[in-house]
Amino acid sequence: MASLFEHLFDCKDRGTDRVIVACFFVELSVTSTYFDLIVIGSGPAGEKAGAQAAYFGKRVAVIEYADHVGGSCINTGTIPSKTLRESALYFSGLKQRGLYGIDYSLKENLTVQDFMHHERDVVEMERKRILKNLTLHHIELVHGHASFEDPHTLSVACADGKRQLRGDVILISTGSKPYRPPEIAFDDVKVFDSDTFLQMDRIPQSLAVIGGGVIGCEYASVFIALGVDVVLVDGRDRLLPFLDAEVSERLRTRLAGLGMQFWFNERPVKISVAPSGIDAEMKSGKVLQTEAVLFAAGRRAAVDALSLEKAGLAVNERGYLSVDENYRTAVPHIYAAGDVIGFPALASTSMEQGRVAVCHAFGFKYKQRVASMLPVGIYTIPEISAVGETEESCREKKIDYCVGRALYVNNARGHIIGDTAGMIKLIFARADKKLLGVSIIGESATELIHIGMLVLDNNRTIDEFIEEVFNYPTLSECYKYAAYDGLGNLAGYKLREG
């Protein structure tokens, strides 16, 4: 831009050149082709990045190909699945069973419309919030499919034709999409992926969930709570292997208590649709017959239509865009954030990645890094959250650690709310009692984790929990008793050593 203006003003006829420049500005205003920042994708990373740049006065466009803003977070993933969890707890009366020992049956003739009503309300509210946020920051929303023409230019196929947008900085935040292996006969009627699962027209009597990761476990727990016969199939030997093994096993035990079956060390080699239901043939030769299947075993970056090669970009061996610590790709003015770069692929971290990316791109002295401590929230039934080290990671790193636990069954609030199966687990260093990690399973786990995260992020010891005063009765005071348990274990270890 600057070089063009300098060239114009270098001409002899200055008056004419001023007219040319004036006309150039008018043309820019009318066609809206030039932006300081172009964001591809309106999910958590894209929305927050666009708003951050616009807040500091940058001219921003957000391109979205879907009918609605918000990405999979709002429309098919995070918000719908978490809202459905609450609906499942309501309709199943699962919490009341713990309180009163009464086995509530589902509301008679419960339909998908009943079950999904609250989810649709919440999703619509979130879509309106995002649109309001974009409008508030004077961000231009462009609906259409984007593809690179060159490193600074995007062609957008809109409903009324094509537009070309040029940007000084471009952020790719197109998210991810479910992996669909060829041996799975997806029809989105009986065999679903995680993006199409909520389009089902009725609640099945039986369901096979393929994949024991976060998405698979969340949906499996929701439907087992509703009384659906659920079989969870996974090629590994445990659920959620990145979690502390004790927490993972507590989740499996709880779900088994609700009637869930587990086929570990199994994977489907063929899934076929029959009039009577689904036949899922496993590698071992076993056949699972069920009414519906959710395949939730893997996702990949949603970049297929972007023509990345024209921008000088390619995906890595895992199918994602590679970035540096500032979320900059191999092309210096192109950044990427959110699920499109892979792990941890959480809405919470994606938002911060987007903000950090644009602050670095434009030199804003504001958000310089994503916090080193990233909490994981898993909205299964029961809820799980974790941050920092686990027992397994400490052993791998040869860290000398100790453990403190507090069980909800010994907590007054746990009994009041009917959750006596929960636990807070602290991992801390033997040498100086510095907190190393926190794992929680049970009611409000994703809220409670932030207390431990603050102590962890500030490099403090478990004594912090003992010195603080917690409201009574609360689940939060489990931190205090987990710390007491840890000190007792530490003292017992020292006595044994002595």
Side-chain angles (χ1 to χ4, degrees):
M1 292 288 291
S3 61
L4 176 60
F5 295 153
E6 289 165 3
H7 171 71
L8 289 173
F9 279 108
D10 279 342
C11 298
K12 293 180 180 178
D13 190 349
R14 295 286 183 148
T16 303
D17 290 333
R18 287 192 181 95
V19 172
I20 293 172
V21 173
C23 290
F24 182 76
F25 272 112
V26 170
E27 181 66 15
L28 264 182
S29 177
V30 172
T31 61
S32 301
T33 58
Y34 172 80
F35 295 89
D36 297 305
L37 171 68
I38 299 174
V39 177
I40 313 173
S42 65
E47 179 207 351
K48 301 307 182 185
Q52 186 78 88
Y55 177 82
F56 285 102
K58 298 300 180 181
R59 188 162 184 246
V60 180
V62 171
I63 304 170
E64 177 55 63
Y65 78 90
D67 293 335
H68 301 287
V69 295
S72 60
C73 172
I74 302 301
N75 297 290
T76 61
T78 305
I79 295 301
S81 63
K82 280 52 173 176
T83 308
L84 287 178
R85 178 185 184 275
E86 299 305 314
S87 297
L89 288 170
Y90 170 77
F91 283 114
S92 68
L94 194 62
K95 288 184 178 179
Q96 288 83 347
R97 294 181 209 178
L99 285 170
Y100 306 113
I102 301 171
D103 188 1
Y104 284 74
S105 58
L106 286 179
K107 177 182 173 183
E108 189 175 356
N109 299 320
L110 176 68
T111 66
V112 171
Q113 286 69 33
D114 292 328
F115 186 47
M116 305 284 274
H117 176 74
H118 183 48
E119 178 264 343
R120 289 174 181 137
D121 282 350
V122 173
V123 167
E124 185 58 32
M125 180 193 71
E126 282 297 292
R127 289 170 179 167
K128 289 178 179 177
R129 179 196 61 77
I130 293 170
L131 288 172
K132 183 178 179 180
N133 193 33
L134 297 180
T135 301
L136 180 67
H137 288 89
H138 306 290
I139 295 171
E140 182 171 345
L141 178 61
V142 180
H143 281 286
H145 286 265
S147 61
F148 281 96
E149 292 291 331
D150 61 49
H152 281 280
T153 308
L154 288 159
S155 175
V156 185
C158 306
D160 55 351
K162 281 195 173 183
R163 288 185 61 184
Q164 274 200 345
L165 308 181
R166 285 186 59 81
D168 277 352
V169 175
I170 296 173
L171 174 73
I172 302 172
S173 55
T174 48
S176 62
K177 60 184 180 181
Y179 170 59
R180 285 195 165 200
E183 66 270 19
I184 308 299
F186 292 96
D187 64 356
D188 299 328
V189 176
K190 292 181 180 178
V191 183
F192 305 89
D193 64 28
S194 56
D195 278 2
T196 61
F197 189 49
L198 301 185
Q199 299 171 11
M200 70 176 73
D201 59 1
R202 63 190 181 87
I203 297 173
Q205 291 184 338
S206 60
L207 173 69
V209 176
I210 312 299
V214 174
I215 295 172
C217 286
E218 287 182 347
Y219 277 124
S221 68
V222 164
F223 280 81
I224 196 70
L226 287 171
V228 176
D229 291 330
V230 178
V231 178
L232 192 149
V233 180
D234 194 85
R236 298 160 293 188
D237 59 0
R238 58 181 266 202
L239 301 175
L240 304 167
F242 59 88
L243 289 177
D244 185 279
E246 183 180 2
V247 172
S248 175
E249 178 57 20
R250 277 182 171 263
L251 174 64
R252 189 204 62 78
T253 301
R254 178 68 173 137
L255 294 176
L258 294 175
M260 189 179 296
Q261 298 179 55
F262 300 92
W263 288 20
F264 289 119
N265 300 307
E266 290 278 12
R267 70 177 184 85
V269 294
K270 182 180 179 182
I271 292 182
S272 53
V273 180
S276 58
I278 306 296
D279 290 337
E281 183 181 340
M282 302 295 153
K283 187 177 181 181
S284 66
K286 294 170 64 176
V287 176
L288 174 60
Q289 294 183 319
T290 185
E291 188 176 327
V293 173
L294 166 62
F295 188 88
R299 295 179 72 86
R300 60 192 183 92
V303 296
D304 294 347
L306 288 181
S307 299
L308 292 175
E309 68 281 358
K310 293 183 180 180
L313 293 172
V315 296
N316 61 25
E317 67 279 1
R318 294 176 293 116
Y320 297 101
L321 284 166
S322 297
V323 294
D324 65 14
E325 68 277 10
N326 298 305
Y327 305 98
R328 183 166 51 180
T329 68
V331 179
H333 70 276
I334 301 179
Y335 290 71
D339 286 17
V340 77
I341 66 173
F343 184 84
L346 300 169
S348 55
T349 53
S350 296
M351 295 175 190
E352 299 309 307
Q353 289 169 357
R355 290 178 173 122
V356 168
V358 296
C359 285
H360 181 267
F362 294 109
F364 301 147
K365 303 301 180 186
Y366 187 59
K367 186 83 178 178
Q368 300 298 308
R369 68 178 183 93
V370 175
S372 57
M373 294 297 164
L374 303 177
V376 173
I378 305 169
Y379 292 83
T380 43
I381 300 173
E383 200 170 304
I384 297 172
S385 198
V387 65
E389 305 290 350
T390 64
E391 287 199 67
E392 292 74 26
S393 68
C394 283
R395 287 196 288 267
E396 288 172 6
K397 297 174 183 179
K398 301 189 183 325
I399 299 172
D400 192 14
Y401 72 93
C402 196
V403 175
R405 300 174 182 83
L407 306 179
Y408 283 21
V409 71
N410 298 321
N411 177 272
R413 187 62 179 269
H415 281 278
I416 291 169
I417 64 175
D419 183 354
T420 56
M423 175 186 72
I424 289 182
K425 181 175 182 178
L426 306 179
I427 309 291
F428 62 97
R430 285 191 189 278
D432 55 11
K433 298 185 291 183
K434 289 282 179 65
L435 185 65
L436 301 173
V438 182
S439 294
I440 307 174
I441 180 168
E443 185 74 17
S444 300
T446 56
E447 299 286 350
L448 291 168
I449 197 67
H450 302 116
I451 298 172
M453 189 172 68
L454 287 172
V455 173
L456 192 60
D457 201 30
N458 284 285
N459 202 29
R460 307 302 289 269
T461 73
I462 61 169
D463 291 329
E464 291 293 316
F465 302 122
I466 292 171
E467 292 170 3
E468 293 301 325
V469 176
F470 295 91
N471 280 325
Y472 177 85
T474 61
L475 296 174
S476 299
E477 60 173 349
C478 283
Y479 273 106
K480 184 187 292 284
Y481 292 98
Y484 278 132
D485 181 64
L487 291 178
N489 292 333
L490 186 62
Y493 174 82
K494 288 178 179 177
L495 286 173
R496 289 193 297 272
E497 287 295 296

